[in-house]
Amino acid sequence: MILIVDLLLMIIDVTYSILCAVVRTFLHPRLKSIDGELCLITGAGGVLGRLFVLEFAKEGAHLVLWDCDTAANERTAQLARELGVEVRTYTVDLSKRQSIYDAAERVRAEVGDVSILVNNAGVVAGRRLLECPDELLERTLLVNCHALFWMTKAFLPQMKARNHGHIVTIASALGLFTTACVEDYCASKFGAVGFHESLAHELRAENHDGIKTTLVCPYIVDTGMFSGCEIRKEIRNLIPPLEPLYTVQQSMKAILGEQEMICIPRIMYIVFIARALLPWEANVVAYRFTGGDKCMMPFIKNAETKTSGGHIQSS
């Protein structure tokens, strides 16, 4: 009897959740205020990172900016200061666990407790698997995936103590489905998605309802990170690379609306569902039709001219 009641309640909850998601798709959700919140953004010197910084600055958040490129980070900070917000910058190598922990200690001592954590930084080796040095493969996994564990361990305890905070993971559509020649990136983003979802479940199971999570999975963004990537021309006209500002603005709506997950554009949900439901061979046929199976090959050929220290830096 208890099982039947719980099953009925689950069906009601699932139905309610679906209806809420449908309504949220067509209506603008109420956006929360983050004025005065302390927001830490990684990869703040890159294209997307800089845009996130400016959007959070417009909302009145105090900012902590992390990047391995000191000069680029400072340029972002100056733009944010012109909007009248408090900004502190730190040069941090996210591939080094101790660098993260040391910088986190400095932030707590010098600025205070972070209440919004935006894990934006990422890299890709831009080499074929058998031609890629092991250290470049390792760095992709360290920056894009392992750093999420260390960042969370560094800043989540303070959020739990107050039952207040928001953790944002900027993943990728390539964390939901794959393509050839970017094994390091796909593996790291699949790891990022898995980590984020498990963390979200943990927070709910522990009744930390005041700590929100948002997973962002955009299609290829036109930042130069995957320069040269091409799908079939007709499909490319239908789904062109995303404009960076549009990507960040859509992400901000999801964050401020406390949306748990967003795919940008929405058509990526269809691709994700198809991958889960269709047989492997059917997905292969679809990839070939769209040109998705070989879309990264031109990117790999162009990658050597786009590298910095052996890696293509995150947007």
Side-chain angles (χ1 to χ4, degrees), residues 14-275:
V14 168
T15 304
Y16 175 75
S17 298
I18 293 172
L19 290 174
C20 286
V22 171
V23 170
R24 191 164 52 222
T25 299
F26 296 100
L27 300 178
H28 295 294
R30 181 179 179 181
L31 304 182
K32 68 180 179 181
S33 172
I34 56 171
D35 186 50
E37 299 277 358
L38 184 58
C39 173
L40 189 156
I41 301 172
T42 65
V47 177
L48 286 186
R50 183 166 294 168
L51 290 171
F52 270 116
V53 168
L54 297 179
E55 290 299 315
F56 275 101
K58 291 174 186 177
E59 296 294 329
H62 302 313
L63 298 168
V64 175
L65 312 186
W66 283 17
D67 202 288
C68 61
D69 185 334
T70 303
N73 206 23
E74 290 297 338
R75 287 194 293 271
T76 299
Q78 183 56 38
L79 292 173
R81 291 186 181 108
E82 292 172 1
L83 296 176
V85 298
E86 297 179 17
V87 186
R88 296 292 291 270
T89 61
Y90 297 82
T91 301
V92 185
D93 184 349
L94 295 181
S95 71
K96 294 182 169 62
R97 180 177 65 249
Q98 198 57 47
S99 177
I100 290 175
Y101 288 158
D102 290 345
E105 285 291 340
R106 288 184 58 198
V107 168
R108 283 192 290 272
E110 298 170 4
V111 190
D113 291 336
V114 169
S115 55
I116 302 175
L117 177 60
V118 182
N119 290 304
N120 165 72
V123 295
V124 61
R127 311 277 185 88
R128 290 177 181 272
L129 176 62
L130 298 183
E131 298 170 0
C132 186
D134 290 346
E135 57 269 22
L136 294 189
L137 294 173
E138 289 175 349
R139 182 169 173 80
T140 300
L141 292 167
L142 288 169
V143 173
N144 297 1
C145 183
H146 293 192
L148 302 178
F149 290 80
W150 307 327
M151 295 291 293
T152 302
K153 291 184 71 175
F155 294 106
L156 182 58
Q158 293 74 37
M159 295 183 188
K160 282 189 171 183
R162 297 185 297 158
N163 192 26
H164 175 76
H166 201 139
I167 297 176
V168 181
T169 302
I170 309 302
S172 170
L174 291 179
L176 303 174
F177 53 87
T178 62
T179 188
C181 298
V182 281
E183 290 89 348
D184 62 322
Y185 191 79
C186 290
S188 68
K189 291 303 184 179
F190 264 74
V193 170
F195 170 80
H196 180 98
E197 290 185 352
S198 180
L199 176 63
H201 286 306
E202 178 180 322
L203 292 172
R204 285 176 178 268
E206 294 179 344
N207 294 319
H208 287 295
D209 55 345
I211 304 175
K212 309 302 180 181
T213 61
T214 299
L215 175 66
V216 181
C217 294
Y219 178 61
I220 294 171
V221 186
D222 190 14
T223 63
M225 186 176 186
F226 287 105
S227 178
C229 173
E230 293 183 359
I231 59 175
R232 183 170 180 161
K233 182 179 179 180
E234 295 85 354
I235 306 297
R236 187 166 68 248
N237 292 334
L238 178 64
I239 316 173
L242 297 170
E243 289 294 326
L245 182 58
Y246 172 80
T247 304
V248 170
Q249 288 174 339
Q250 293 300 306
S251 300
M252 288 298 296
K253 288 179 183 179
I255 294 166
L256 299 179
E258 296 183 344
Q259 185 174 336
E260 288 83 0
M261 177 186 179
I262 180 172
C263 289
I264 310 171
R266 287 195 178 98
I267 196 171
M268 289 297 107
Y269 290 110
I270 298 176
V271 181
F272 175 48
I273 293 171
R275 179 190 182 276

